[in-house]
Amino acid sequence: MISERFEKGSKKLAEVDGQVGEEVVAPLGDLGKYIVEFAFGDIYSRDGLSLRDREIATIAMLASRSGVEPQLKVHIKAGMNVGLTTEEIEEIIIQTVPYSGFPTAINALNALKEIVVE
Amino acid sequence: MISERFEKGSKKLAEVDGQVGEEVVAPLGDLGKYIVEFAFGDIYSRDGLSLRDREIATIAMLASRSGVEPQLKVHIKAGMNVGLTTEEIEEIIIQTVPYSGFPTAINALNALKEIVVE
Amino acid sequence: MISERFEKGSKKLAEVDGQVGEEVVAPLGDLGKYIVEFAFGDIYSRDGLSLRDREIATIAMLASRSGVEPQLKVHIKAGMNVGLTTEEIEEIIIQTVPYSGFPTAINALNALKEIVVE
Amino acid sequence: MISERFEKGSKKLAEVDGQVGEEVVAPLGDLGKYIVEFAFGDIYSRDGLSLRDREIATIAMLASRSGVEPQLKVHIKAGMNVGLTTEEIEEIIIQTVPYSGFPTAINALNALKEIVVE
Amino acid sequence: MISERFEKGSKKLAEVDGQVGEEVVAPLGDLGKYIVEFAFGDIYSRDGLSLRDREIATIAMLASRSGVEPQLKVHIKAGMNVGLTTEEIEEIIIQTVPYSGFPTAINALNALKEIVVE
Amino acid sequence: MISERFEKGSKKLAEVDGQVGEEVVAPLGDLGKYIVEFAFGDIYSRDGLSLRDREIATIAMLASRSGVEPQLKVHIKAGMNVGLTTEEIEEIIIQTVPYSGFPTAINALNALKEIVVE
């Protein structure tokens, strides 16, 4: 039985991530269900902040950490889906430097470049 | 001798943080000089992303980490200076939950509440 | 309108944290609602792992990080509520050392000692 | 000359990790010696918490961080050795989400799936 | 019964931290014992790197993280004990900026200033 | 137009990293420019701490974190360029254990071994 939140989350996930989202989430079992229901059905579906603003926040968070490159790439693509340009995403990555230093920013910029090449 | 970058950074710092910025930076010696020159003279002064967008990124980064509450508070105030509402900042904090969990978000929300009470 | 998940989560929160849980969550607005609905209604309510096991995991996670002492204290008390002894919690903290080093373990042990004194 | 702690640690390492443990530790020189003597001879050899409980704590810590997948995999196998089922380990990973968010949990679940496939 | 490693560690702790070290370690029970035996008896007692070099490494690590200010202060004092000047410690803190950004460096510099005032 | 700081930083980068530095920085666009100007032109060019001391601090910081292995490798080579021996770098990695635990130290030691094999 699919919950109302799951359906709402699935639509939001498709809106944010395109087809990539479902591909990431499908093999994850219950963890994937919570990503759809909670992250997308509850949080991304909230009013009060545009999807573009939400992806600025998310890309900044992931770009300022290390070891979450796969998720950063998903959200770089998501950011592009909801209106961020490649140049703006590079700018978000540069904005992380005063707060998290260069190593994470270098890895994030390399993730961005891999996506642009694709 | 004050560099051109320092002057440019000082103006940008005042634009972003109001008077609070200089108070934070002044007692920090050379470290404070680099905050002005590099963080504000170089990075915040770049085109390509609005100050509002930069503060969304910065608040998200700091709210998703622990132990940097003083800096988070400075940037919550900065966010308000450059056009973010209290509700939008709460929304940014809620947006951190799927990526960093509840503990850091709770501490960030408490920081926001302390500023609103002030 | 209170969701079924919120009611389920409230009961689980009371079971895990006693009265402290509601006190922590009540002033947090929507963030508090998600703690009840998602953390307790969805996750803590799952079968497959006892509450004692869940609190071992949670105390270990929080004790191995810094800057989340308020949350660590809530979960030390929760651990005691669901069957962990003070000695076992000290043991969990000691178990963090090979993975996260001494500084976080010292801060966690001090948190435990403050709770025991209370 | 092999210390008594090293012998004690070697036995405990074999009990916890099976043959994998020694393979990981052997090429690490003095660092490997300290893993045997301190992590296993001192810490894992303590009374007061079962090996199953210690691995719940360890898997939770490593699953809630990024960039330590090789060590997480060693401890997923160790957890299985000391009595945790695949389902319980998935449950521990799901338990990390409210505290550390989805990205680290996704990477941890993928690590678990790779081990199950093997 | 006090182990040889504990005695060796106690001497090294006194050499590195002066009286402060014992005051920090004494109330920590078994955790304190491992700090003396492992951190000081095993690691700090190794040849191959001077105590001054070890404290450069340690101050840099702690200054580039948040939420471990008590431990950072102990090691700032330790650094002064083993030959680092206040200016050199400020320099180490400034050196963390390209790798970890400004917020942790600000908190570390404030810790240094509190010690200098004392 | 190349700034004076960029020229100063380029010379310092070559002194610290040899040819590797420029190869890392060149494809990074504006981010690379800031690494040269700020990290090397401003910070590494400061008096008050030798390049050897700066690399002890940097290697310790990067070895105590996970997910920044590419940057750690660059700085292991840089450390060798400015006077650190392989044995001393291993010693710095061992010194991280009491502060950050074994998993990051294992990954750092493996990075060192890969460089030595090359």
Side-chain angles (χ1 to χ4, degrees):
Chain A
M1 210 187 67
I2 288 171
S3 73
E4 199 186 332
R5 286 167 69 237
F6 190 89
E7 282 193 33
K8 190 177 167 190
S10 289
K11 279 184 200 158
K12 188 57 72 175
L13 178 65
E15 186 185 345
V16 175
D17 281 331
Q19 205 178 325
V20 176
E22 201 181 306
E23 283 165 22
V24 169
V25 161
L28 295 175
D30 281 5
L31 183 65
K33 190 188 68 164
Y34 293 129
I35 294 173
V36 174
E37 285 186 353
F38 178 63
F40 288 89
D42 286 348
I43 306 297
Y44 272 87
S45 295
R46 290 174 63 87
D47 294 331
L49 211 60
S50 70
L51 288 177
R52 183 182 173 279
D53 288 348
R54 289 190 188 277
E55 287 302 338
I56 292 174
T58 302
I59 292 169
M61 278 187 274
L62 296 176
S64 66
R65 284 203 256 166
S66 52
V68 290
E69 283 79 5
Q71 290 75 35
L72 175 60
K73 284 186 176 177
V74 169
H75 284 281
I76 286 173
K77 288 176 191 166
M80 291 171 171
N81 274 346
V82 300
L84 290 168
T85 64
T86 304
E87 290 70 27
E88 286 173 321
I89 294 171
E90 183 177 350
E91 211 56 55
I92 297 166
I93 292 169
I94 289 174
Q95 177 70 13
T96 68
V97 175
Y99 303 99
S100 306
F102 289 106
T104 44
I106 294 171
N107 291 342
L109 191 65
N110 286 335
L112 173 60
K113 289 164 79 170
E114 285 176 39
I115 286 169
V116 171
V117 167
E118 285 170 28
Chain B
M1 210 188 69
I2 289 170
S3 72
E4 200 185 330
R5 285 168 69 238
F6 190 89
E7 282 193 33
K8 190 177 168 190
S10 290
K11 277 184 199 158
K12 190 54 75 174
L13 178 65
E15 187 185 345
V16 175
D17 281 330
Q19 206 178 323
V20 176
E22 201 181 306
E23 284 165 21
V24 169
V25 162
L28 296 175
D30 279 7
L31 183 64
K33 191 188 68 166
Y34 293 128
I35 293 174
V36 173
E37 286 185 353
F38 178 63
F40 288 90
D42 286 348
I43 306 296
Y44 273 86
S45 295
R46 290 174 62 88
D47 292 333
L49 210 60
S50 70
L51 289 178
R52 182 183 171 281
D53 288 347
R54 290 190 187 276
E55 288 301 338
I56 292 173
T58 302
I59 292 169
M61 279 188 270
L62 296 176
S64 68
R65 285 203 256 165
S66 53
V68 291
E69 284 79 4
Q71 288 75 35
L72 174 61
K73 285 185 175 178
V74 168
H75 283 282
I76 287 174
K77 289 176 190 165
M80 292 171 171
N81 273 346
V82 299
L84 290 167
T85 65
T86 304
E87 290 71 28
E88 286 173 321
I89 294 171
E90 185 178 347
E91 212 56 55
I92 297 166
I93 292 169
I94 289 173
Q95 176 71 12
T96 68
V97 174
Y99 304 99
S100 306
F102 290 107
T104 45
I106 294 172
N107 292 341
L109 191 65
N110 286 334
L112 174 60
K113 289 165 79 171
E114 285 175 38
I115 286 169
V116 171
V117 168
E118 285 171 28
Chain C
M1 210 189 67
I2 290 171
S3 72
E4 198 186 333
R5 285 168 69 238
F6 190 88
E7 281 192 32
K8 189 178 168 191
S10 290
K11 277 184 201 159
K12 188 56 74 176
L13 178 65
E15 186 185 345
V16 175
D17 281 330
Q19 206 179 323
V20 176
E22 201 182 305
E23 283 165 20
V24 169
V25 162
L28 296 175
D30 280 7
L31 183 64
K33 191 188 67 166
Y34 293 128
I35 294 174
V36 174
E37 286 185 353
F38 178 63
F40 289 90
D42 286 348
I43 306 296
Y44 273 86
S45 295
R46 290 174 63 87
D47 293 332
L49 210 60
S50 70
L51 289 177
R52 183 182 172 281
D53 287 349
R54 290 190 187 276
E55 288 302 337
I56 292 172
T58 302
I59 291 170
M61 278 188 272
L62 296 176
S64 69
R65 285 203 256 165
S66 52
V68 291
E69 283 80 3
Q71 289 75 35
L72 174 61
K73 284 185 176 179
V74 168
H75 283 281
I76 287 174
K77 288 176 192 167
M80 291 171 173
N81 274 345
V82 300
L84 289 168
T85 64
T86 304
E87 289 70 29
E88 286 174 322
I89 295 171
E90 184 178 347
E91 211 56 54
I92 297 166
I93 292 169
I94 289 174
Q95 177 71 13
T96 68
V97 174
Y99 303 99
S100 306
F102 290 106
T104 45
I106 294 173
N107 292 341
L109 190 66
N110 286 334
L112 173 60
K113 288 164 79 171
E114 285 176 37
I115 286 169
V116 171
V117 168
E118 283 170 29
Chain D
M1 210 188 67
I2 287 172
S3 73
E4 199 187 331
R5 287 167 68 236
F6 190 88
E7 283 193 33
K8 190 178 167 189
S10 290
K11 279 183 199 160
K12 188 57 73 174
L13 179 65
E15 186 185 346
V16 175
D17 281 330
Q19 205 179 324
V20 176
E22 200 181 306
E23 283 165 21
V24 169
V25 162
L28 296 174
D30 280 6
L31 183 64
K33 190 189 68 165
Y34 293 130
I35 294 174
V36 174
E37 285 185 351
F38 178 63
F40 289 90
D42 286 347
I43 306 298
Y44 273 87
S45 295
R46 289 175 64 87
D47 294 332
L49 212 60
S50 70
L51 288 177
R52 182 182 173 280
D53 288 348
R54 289 190 188 278
E55 287 302 339
I56 292 173
T58 302
I59 291 169
M61 279 187 274
L62 296 176
S64 68
R65 285 203 256 165
S66 52
V68 290
E69 284 79 6
Q71 289 76 33
L72 175 61
K73 284 185 177 179
V74 169
H75 284 281
I76 287 174
K77 288 176 192 166
M80 292 171 170
N81 273 346
V82 298
L84 291 168
T85 64
T86 304
E87 290 71 26
E88 286 174 320
I89 294 171
E90 183 178 349
E91 211 56 53
I92 297 166
I93 292 169
I94 289 174
Q95 176 71 13
T96 69
V97 174
Y99 304 98
S100 307
F102 289 106
T104 45
I106 294 171
N107 292 341
L109 191 65
N110 287 334
L112 173 61
K113 289 164 79 171
E114 285 175 39
I115 286 169
V116 171
V117 168
E118 284 170 29
Chain E
M1 210 189 66
I2 289 171
S3 72
E4 200 186 332
R5 285 167 69 238
F6 191 88
E7 280 192 34
K8 190 177 167 191
S10 290
K11 277 184 201 160
K12 189 56 74 175
L13 179 65
E15 186 184 346
V16 175
D17 280 332
Q19 206 179 323
V20 176
E22 201 182 304
E23 284 165 20
V24 169
V25 162
L28 296 174
D30 280 8
L31 183 64
K33 190 188 69 165
Y34 294 128
I35 294 174
V36 173
E37 285 185 353
F38 178 63
F40 289 90
D42 286 349
I43 306 297
Y44 273 87
S45 296
R46 290 174 63 87
D47 294 332
L49 210 60
S50 70
L51 289 177
R52 183 183 172 279
D53 287 349
R54 290 190 187 276
E55 288 302 337
I56 292 173
T58 302
I59 292 170
M61 279 188 271
L62 295 176
S64 68
R65 284 202 257 165
S66 53
V68 290
E69 283 79 5
Q71 288 75 36
L72 175 60
K73 283 184 177 179
V74 168
H75 283 281
I76 287 174
K77 287 176 192 166
M80 291 172 172
N81 273 346
V82 299
L84 290 167
T85 65
T86 305
E87 290 69 29
E88 285 174 321
I89 294 171
E90 185 178 347
E91 211 56 54
I92 296 166
I93 292 170
I94 289 175
Q95 176 71 13
T96 69
V97 174
Y99 303 98
S100 307
F102 289 107
T104 44
I106 294 172
N107 291 341
L109 191 65
N110 286 334
L112 173 61
K113 288 165 79 170
E114 285 176 37
I115 285 169
V116 170
V117 167
E118 284 170 29
Chain F
M1 210 189 66
I2 289 170
S3 72
E4 198 185 334
R5 285 167 68 236
F6 190 88
E7 283 193 31
K8 190 177 166 189
S10 290
K11 279 184 199 158
K12 187 58 72 174
L13 179 65
E15 186 184 346
V16 174
D17 281 330
Q19 205 178 324
V20 176
E22 200 181 306
E23 283 165 22
V24 170
V25 162
L28 296 174
D30 280 5
L31 184 64
K33 190 188 69 166
Y34 294 129
I35 293 173
V36 174
E37 284 185 354
F38 177 63
F40 288 90
D42 287 348
I43 305 298
Y44 273 86
S45 295
R46 290 174 63 87
D47 294 331
L49 211 59
S50 69
L51 288 177
R52 183 181 172 280
D53 288 347
R54 289 189 188 278
E55 287 302 338
I56 292 173
T58 302
I59 292 170
M61 279 188 274
L62 296 175
S64 67
R65 285 203 256 166
S66 52
V68 290
E69 282 79 5
Q71 289 76 34
L72 175 60
K73 283 185 177 178
V74 169
H75 284 281
I76 287 173
K77 288 176 191 165
M80 291 170 171
N81 273 345
V82 298
L84 290 168
T85 65
T86 305
E87 289 73 25
E88 285 174 320
I89 294 171
E90 184 178 349
E91 211 56 54
I92 297 166
I93 292 170
I94 289 174
Q95 175 71 13
T96 68
V97 175
Y99 303 99
S100 307
F102 290 106
T104 44
I106 294 171
N107 292 341
L109 190 66
N110 286 334
L112 174 60
K113 288 164 80 171
E114 285 176 38
I115 286 169
V116 172
V117 167
E118 283 171 30

